[in-house]
Each structure stands twice: as structure tokens, then as C-alpha cells.
């Protein structure tokens, strides 16, 4: 299926409107108080009622506007559509930050042409909203990336040893142990590390020049669908190791030259 820039811009406008409404709702729910509704992969991998309520609200707004599209989200079963377009939704990215009232969590919504698999989709529109700060990172295919009214571009010409690099960690003990081993290898060779707690905000920050690079093992498609398009439209490169596409095995994002340096470093330790 082919989509022109105008169609992608229309999808972005809808995604932005939905994300802003959902984010406002989530902030109101957080003010009323929050509790852990369930755990997922481990006792520290939590889901709150806000996550579930926010995803339900997002799904309802999507289906009201575009009933033939599919929806692939974190908290609920996939809704299979007939249009070929899929909405990839993370209702709250940074749930632990939300729980602790750390103002670094986001609503992430992308629209992709094709299946909800990063190796086979073509991202058309993506928006990442931080409802606490009010910042809106967004991009449409061929339309560039923006933070509010500001056009975004990744930092260029940053050598690896001067790069401020973000990452994140999983919930399972064994994964954390292996991620720590990678970090020990990476940290002495870069400027410093940042761990914000929301992959979507990390990618938005990279596009905005607040970070130079980002890598993480174990991401799900909804964690980076919107942020990945924002980085690409800001001139960045995203992929995995050894020429692979980004996946749960690894996602690396940076300006093209730094991407090559960082992936080479990571390939020394990641099997």
C-alpha cells in the first residue's frame, strides 16, 4: 500500500489528538492516586489501572475514527483490521516513573503500514507525548520531525568518546545481569550514560539533540514504533547489530557515523 505525505500528515494529526487526550486523562488519574493492578514478566514489571484505562481510551478513539485499522498495544489483545494499517500503542511508557511520580513517562502512538513487526512495517506517523511537561515529539514519513514547532535533527559529528548515551534495563534478573556486563564495557568508552526510564522519551530526546545515542536490549515494538520514526525523520539511523533490523535482540539509534561506532563497540560484547 502506498501513502503520500498528505495522508501521513493526516494520520499524524489524528495520532497527536488521541495521544494528547489520553495523556491528559492519565495525568488526571495519577493525581487521584495510583496503585499496581498486576505484574507481568516479573514482580517488578508492573501494570497499573492507568495503563489499562489509557489503552482502552486510545483504542476507542482509534476505532471511532478508523474502524478498519488494526491496533497492536501493550496491555490488550491485538485488534486485527482490514485496511493494512496498524496502530502501535504504548499507553504508558515508563510505568515505574508514573508510579513513583517521576515526570518522565509518555504516551506513544505510531501508525504503520504492514504488520506490527519492525522488520516488515513502514512507519507512517508517530507521536510521543510527555503529559507532565506537555512536550510533543512527532514525525510523519517524509515530513520531518518536530518538538512542538521546532524542527529536529540529531547531533552530528560526535565521536564515540564524547557521546552521551542512553539505555534501559529489563525486568528479569538474568537479562539485567547481561545488560550490566554490556554497560561495564560501554561506559569507559563514552562521555556518560543516561537512564531515563522511557524508551519513547529517550528516542525523542535523541532526535532533539539532548542525547547523542541510545541502545537497549529487550524492547517491544510498541516501545519504539513512534520514537523510531521520529529519530529517522530527524536524520538518525536505527537498527540492530551485524546488519540486522532493530528488534528485541537490540536497538541502536544515533547519527549515522556514531551509529557505526556504537554498534561496533556493542558487537564486541553482545552475542
Amino acid at each position: 500500500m502506498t501513502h503520500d505525505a498528505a495522508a501521513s500528515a493526516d494520520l499524524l494529526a489524528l495520532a497527536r489528538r488521541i495521544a494528547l487526550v489520553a495523556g491528559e486523562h492519565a495525568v488526571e488519574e495519577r493525581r487521584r492516586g495510583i496503585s499496581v493492578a498486576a505484574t507481568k514478566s516479573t514482580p517488578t514489571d508492573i501494570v497499573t489501572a492507568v495503563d489499562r484505562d489509557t489503552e482502552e481510551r486510545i483504542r476507542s478513539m482509534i476505532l471511532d475514527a478508523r474502524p478498519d485499522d488494526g491496533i497492536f498495544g501493550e496491555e490488550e489483545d491485538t485488534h486485527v483490521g482490514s485496511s493494512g494499517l496498524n496502530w502501535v500503542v504504548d499507553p504508558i511508557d515508563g510505568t515505574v516513573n508514573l508510579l513513583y511520580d517521576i515526570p518522565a513517562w509518555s504516551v506513544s502512538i505510531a501508525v504503520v503500514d504492514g504488520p506490527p513487526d519492525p522488520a516488515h512495517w513502514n512507519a507512517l506517523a508517530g507521536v510521543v507525548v510527555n503529559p507532565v511537561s506537555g512536550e510533543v515529539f512527532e514525525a510523519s514519513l517524509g515530513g520531518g520531525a518536530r518538538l512542538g514547532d521546532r524542527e529536529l535533527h540529531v547531533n552530528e559529528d560526535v565521536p564515540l568518546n564524547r557521546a552521551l548515551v542512553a539505555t534501559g534495563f529489563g525486568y528479569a534478573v538474568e537479562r539485567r545481569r547481561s545488560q550490566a556486563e554490556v554497560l561495564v564495557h560501554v561506559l569507559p568508552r563514552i562521555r556518560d550514560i543516561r537512564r531515563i526510564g522511557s524508551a519513547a522519551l529517550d528516542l525523542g530526546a535523541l532526535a532533539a539533540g539532548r542525547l547523542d545515542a541510545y541502545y537497549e536490549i529487550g524492547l517491544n515494538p510498541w516501545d519504539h514504533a513512534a520514537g523510531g520514526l521520529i529519530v529517522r525523520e530527524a536524520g538518525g539511523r536505527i537498527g540492530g547489530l551485524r546488519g540486522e533490523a532493530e528488534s528485541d535482540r537490540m536497538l541502536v539509534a544515533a547519527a549515522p557515523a556514531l551509529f557505526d561506532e556504537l554498534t561496533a563497540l556493542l558487537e564486541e560484547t553482545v552475542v
Side-chain angles (χ1 to χ4, degrees):
M1 187 181 300
T2 58
H3 290 266
D4 59 23
S8 294
D10 288 345
L11 289 168
L12 175 58
L14 178 59
R16 182 195 311 115
R17 180 171 64 83
I18 291 171
L20 287 169
V21 170
E24 186 177 313
H25 165 74
V27 168
E28 290 172 1
E29 291 292 303
R30 179 65 187 80
R31 287 197 190 108
R32 293 192 188 105
I34 194 168
S35 62
V36 175
T39 58
K40 293 184 279 189
S41 61
T42 75
T44 54
D45 186 7
I46 62 166
V47 58
T48 70
V50 179
D51 293 80
R52 292 175 172 171
D53 292 347
T54 303
E55 183 158 324
E56 285 177 13
R57 188 171 292 248
I58 291 169
R59 283 174 177 250
S60 176
M61 287 188 284
I62 292 169
L63 292 175
D64 282 349
R66 298 186 59 87
D68 296 329
D69 292 354
I71 304 172
F72 182 67
E74 181 171 13
E75 308 304 342
E76 296 186 32
D77 292 338
T78 299
H79 171 80
V80 178
S82 58
S83 69
L85 297 186
N86 279 288
W87 293 67
V88 186
V89 175
D90 195 342
I92 305 291
D93 186 47
T95 300
V96 173
N97 285 349
L98 174 73
L99 179 67
Y100 280 79
D101 205 18
I102 297 169
W105 51 274
S106 60
V107 178
S108 174
I109 301 176
V111 189
V112 304
D113 184 8
D117 175 355
H120 299 101
W121 75 36
N122 187 31
L124 304 176
V127 60
V128 174
V129 173
N130 179 336
V132 183
S133 70
E135 290 189 317
V136 179
F137 302 88
E138 64 179 34
S140 60
L141 183 63
R146 289 170 302 283
L147 171 54
D149 295 330
R150 178 164 70 93
E151 293 287 333
L152 300 183
H153 202 281
V154 297
N155 293 337
E156 300 275 6
D157 302 320
V158 179
L160 183 63
N161 65 359
R162 294 291 180 269
L164 184 62
V165 181
T167 192
F169 307 108
Y171 294 100
V173 171
E174 282 307 312
R175 171 159 281 169
R176 286 184 173 193
R177 184 173 287 115
S178 65
Q179 287 170 326
E181 291 168 358
V182 173
L183 184 61
V184 166
H185 183 69
V186 169
L187 186 55
R189 295 165 175 83
I190 62 174
R191 179 189 294 276
D192 204 352
I193 205 79
R194 292 292 179 267
R195 196 277 200 266
I196 293 168
S198 164
L201 288 181
D202 282 329
L203 291 165
L206 172 60
R210 297 172 182 172
L211 299 166
D212 298 311
Y214 168 74
Y215 77 90
E216 188 163 346
I217 300 167
L219 292 179
N220 293 297
W222 51 78
D223 295 317
H224 59 84
L229 177 63
I230 293 166
V231 169
R232 285 192 170 102
E233 287 293 323
R237 185 173 167 195
I238 290 189
L241 301 184
R242 302 173 183 90
E244 291 186 353
E246 65 272 22
S247 70
D248 60 348
R249 290 185 295 279
M250 178 62 79
L251 180 146
V252 183
L258 181 55
F259 177 94
D260 289 338
E261 281 195 89
L262 181 56
T263 52
L265 177 61
L266 290 165
E267 285 168 2
E268 293 173 7
T269 57
V270 179
V271 177

